[in-house]
């Protein structure tokens, strides 16, 4: 007899937490909350308490929970074909890659299952590109405070010592420069540079956007030294900023050679994306890279459905995001510890002059989910479907949490 239906009544938040603590690797600091179901931007815990979810699975649940078109696509595809491996074709990789090429301005796409895998694919592409030129061309320049993932290659170019220190020595050739320091970038990039890695808006680093000028200089330096420029759009990309990709906010648009995306791209079904131009693509030849799960029929079908829905949502992401920032700024006037409200679209950070975790806890108790990154930055990555009314509700809860 399966235990689950009979035992379900006995499940409590405490029993779930106890079992997790006994058997699951203790690598996360979790909030003491067991989420049970969701609808749109709302989630309910096991006890039936409702939360407005403004962190959305760290920017993954782009359409919130239980979106009818996403549910239908999953159900229909799951009943037909989930996975084939990349020994065969499926019907959806080609159309999805075409769609991503059209909206990104890039040429080719590789599919994997997570952000860090997209970073790894980019690193292999960059290293292979460098080796095609010279064995000494293997340096990768990335930014202090950046975050590119938890696997070893991604860690090697993540500019935050706290993530790296326990695993050193890491991949050689990584060089870190402070963001927005053009002189430091110029000094770091040279003939040995194979690639430059940038988050157009640093996410884990505290929702910190880069200037157009800085990105443009990175583009020029990459061209001058035959390096590949990679934009990590895993958190800031795929609609989050009200454009398809954050780099499209730059005027004129600074194009990368490689771009990575993941979090929202299949609304919670794991999918990572690396998109690149032909110049970068030619570094990877048959057999040099791959993934068993990557781009399976279920994930790519759901992502295609998502892109159809996203097209209609982009204007409201921009509009509601602007409203949210202006409401946060107005609220911030009341509290002297609110230093700055920043971001684009629905990627918003509120920098405080003190640690933000107490506010996160009180907001949660008040029915609003968010998180705090970089110690002092309240981070909002709400689903793209929210309206001004949801913003009002969130700001109301937040104001009480701050008082
Ligand atoms: C989340 C994130 C990653 C890593 O993605 P995973 O899916 O957790 O591996 C990489 N880069 C950025 C900017 C991210 O926000």
């Amino acid at each position: 007899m399966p235990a689950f239906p009979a035992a379900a009544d006995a499940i409590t938040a405490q029993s779930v937490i106890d079992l997790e603590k006994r058997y699951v690797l203790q690598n996360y600091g979790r909030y003491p909350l067991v989420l049970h179901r969701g609808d749109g931007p709302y989630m309910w815990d096991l006890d039936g308490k409702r939360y407005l979810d403004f962190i959305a699975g760290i920017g993954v649940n782009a359409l919130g929970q239980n979106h009818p078109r996403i549910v239908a696509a999953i159900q229909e595809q799951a009943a037909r074909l989930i996975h084939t491996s990349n020994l065969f074709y499926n019907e959806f990789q080609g159309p999805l890659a075409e769609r991503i090429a059209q909206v990104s301005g890039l040429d080719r796409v590789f599919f994997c299952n997570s952000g860090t895998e997209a970073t790894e694919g980019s690193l292999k592409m960059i290293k292979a590109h460098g080796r095609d030129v010279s064995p000494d061309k293997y340096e990768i320049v990335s930014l202090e405070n950046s975050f590119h993932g938890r696997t070893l290659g991604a860690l090697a170019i993540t500019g935050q010592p706290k993530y790296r220190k326990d695993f050193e020595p890491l991949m050689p050739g990584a060089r870190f420069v402070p963001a927005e320091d053009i002189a430091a970038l110029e000094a770091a990039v040279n003939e040995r540079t194979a690639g430059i890695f940038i988050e157009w808006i640093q996410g884990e680093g505290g929702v910190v956007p880069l200037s157009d000028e800085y990105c443009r200089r990175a583009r020029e330096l990459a061209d001058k030294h035959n390096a590949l420029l990679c934009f990590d759009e895993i958190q800031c990309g795929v609609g989050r900023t009200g454009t398809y990709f954050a780099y499209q906010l730059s005027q004129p648009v600074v194009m990368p050679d490689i771009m990575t995306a993941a979090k929202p791209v299949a609304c919670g079904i794991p999918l990572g994306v690396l998109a690149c131009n032909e110049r970068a693509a030619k570094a990877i030849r048959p057999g040099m890279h791959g993934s068993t799960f990557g781009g399976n029929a279920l994930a790519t079908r759901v992502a295609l459905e998502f892109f159809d829905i996203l097209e209609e949502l982009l204007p409201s992401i921009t509009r509601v995001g602007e409203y949210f920032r202006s409401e946060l700024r107005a609220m911030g006037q009341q509290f002297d510890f609110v230093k700055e409200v920043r971001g684009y679209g629905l990627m918003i950070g509120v920098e405080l002059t003190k640690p933000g975790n107490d506010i996160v806890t009180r907001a949660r108790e008040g029915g609003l989910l968010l998180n705090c990154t970089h110690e002092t930055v309240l981070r909002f990555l709400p689903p793209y479907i929210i309206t001004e009314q949801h913003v009002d509700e969130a700001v109301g809860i937040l104001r009480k949490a701050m008082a």
Side-chain angles (χ1 to χ4, degrees):
M1 280 283 279
F4 179 72
D9 290 345
I11 293 177
T12 63
Q14 199 54 55
S15 75
V16 170
I17 291 168
D18 289 348
L19 208 57
E20 197 272 359
K21 288 213 184 308
R22 169 68 183 81
Y23 287 108
V24 177
L25 192 70
Q26 292 297 297
N27 57 318
Y28 296 112
R30 299 186 204 261
Y31 299 125
L33 183 58
V34 183
L35 291 167
H36 179 61
R37 73 183 176 93
D39 195 37
Y42 294 101
M43 301 239 256
W44 284 261
D45 69 13
L46 267 185
D47 302 320
K49 181 175 158 73
R50 191 180 84 158
Y51 300 87
L52 182 56
D53 182 12
F54 268 35
I55 188 66
I58 317 188
V60 168
N61 305 320
L63 301 178
Q65 305 287 339
N66 197 25
H67 190 283
R69 286 176 62 181
I70 296 300
V71 172
I74 292 171
Q75 286 178 336
E76 212 266 335
Q77 192 56 40
R80 186 154 30 119
L81 185 75
I82 293 177
H83 174 84
T84 60
S85 87
N86 287 301
L87 291 174
F88 308 98
Y89 295 91
N90 70 41
E91 295 154 66
F92 306 110
Q93 282 196 16
L96 180 59
E98 178 186 40
R99 192 67 178 267
I100 293 169
Q102 282 164 352
V103 298
S104 68
L106 293 164
D107 299 316
R108 289 186 184 276
V109 174
F110 168 75
F111 295 110
C112 50
N113 312 286
S114 66
T116 204
E117 273 179 84
T119 302
E120 296 295 324
S122 309
L123 289 173
K124 284 178 74 176
M125 194 171 265
I126 286 168
K127 293 197 91 166
H129 165 81
R131 271 205 81 88
D132 283 345
V133 179
S134 146
D136 297 326
K137 193 175 181 63
Y138 62 87
E139 287 186 2
I140 297 173
V141 175
S142 71
L143 304 189
E144 289 172 10
N145 263 334
S146 59
F147 183 83
H148 298 296
R150 301 283 201 155
T151 51
L152 287 168
L155 272 187
I157 60 157
T158 285
Q160 301 192 53
K162 68 176 177 192
Y163 293 118
R164 303 156 45 87
K165 64 178 181 3
D166 294 308
F167 308 100
E168 285 167 338
L170 291 160
M171 180 182 79
R175 298 188 62 171
F176 297 105
V177 292
E180 288 300 312
D181 183 338
I182 288 182
L185 186 66
E186 288 169 345
V189 179
N190 57 45
E191 287 313 304
R192 290 188 305 280
T193 308
I196 304 174
F197 240 88
I198 282 176
E199 285 166 88
W200 207 86
I201 306 172
Q202 292 187 334
E204 305 303 307
V207 192
V208 184
L210 294 177
S211 67
D212 289 6
E213 194 198 351
Y214 187 79
C215 294
R216 192 153 30 251
R217 193 66 190 125
R219 177 69 274 171
E220 288 165 3
L221 288 166
D223 289 339
K224 180 173 170 203
H225 296 289
N226 189 16
L228 296 176
L229 178 62
C230 179
F231 288 165
D232 177 339
E233 293 256 346
I234 292 166
Q235 189 162 144
C236 62
V238 205
R240 175 62 58 193
T241 58
T243 48
Y244 276 104
F245 298 101
Y247 63 82
Q248 292 164 338
L249 291 166
S250 53
Q251 295 292 338
V253 172
V254 178
M255 284 295 294
D257 300 300
I258 306 172
M259 183 265 305
T260 55
K263 288 185 166 88
V265 76
C267 298
I269 304 292
L271 180 66
V273 167
L274 177 169
C276 62
N277 58 21
E278 294 290 3
R279 175 168 165 252
K282 75 177 172 21
I284 299 289
R285 294 170 290 273
M288 284 173 67
H289 193 47
S291 165
T292 300
F293 289 110
N296 83 17
L298 181 69
T300 47
R301 161 98 189 257
V302 172
L304 262 177
E305 187 72 22
F306 173 52
F307 272 99
D308 277 347
I309 300 167
L310 178 59
E311 189 164 0
E312 294 155 25
L313 277 175
L314 288 174
S316 102
I317 293 170
T318 303
R319 190 193 71 236
V320 177
E322 270 167 22
Y323 178 73
F324 192 9
R325 280 189 298 282
S326 75
E327 291 298 295
L328 285 168
R329 286 192 185 110
M331 185 200 70
Q333 307 279 303
Q334 294 174 248
F335 303 103
D336 58 0
F337 55 85
V338 175
K339 191 169 150 196
E340 190 187 23
V341 176
R342 57 177 178 253
Y344 291 93
L346 291 173
M347 179 168 187
I348 298 176
V350 178
E351 182 160 1
L352 310 175
T353 54
K354 61 174 192 181
N357 263 331
D358 288 352
I359 293 170
V360 169
T361 301
R362 280 201 296 276
R364 186 174 68 243
E365 287 161 4
L368 174 69
L369 303 181
L370 72 153
N371 93 333
C372 177
T373 189
H374 224 246
E375 292 260 330
T376 56
V377 181
L378 303 179
R379 177 173 51 173
F380 300 92
L381 299 168
Y384 302 170
I385 52 168
I386 61 163
T387 63
E388 284 83 353
Q389 286 73 38
H390 296 119
V391 169
D392 291 343
E393 187 182 343
V395 172
I397 297 170
L398 196 64
R399 182 179 286 115
K400 282 192 200 134
M402 285 190 166

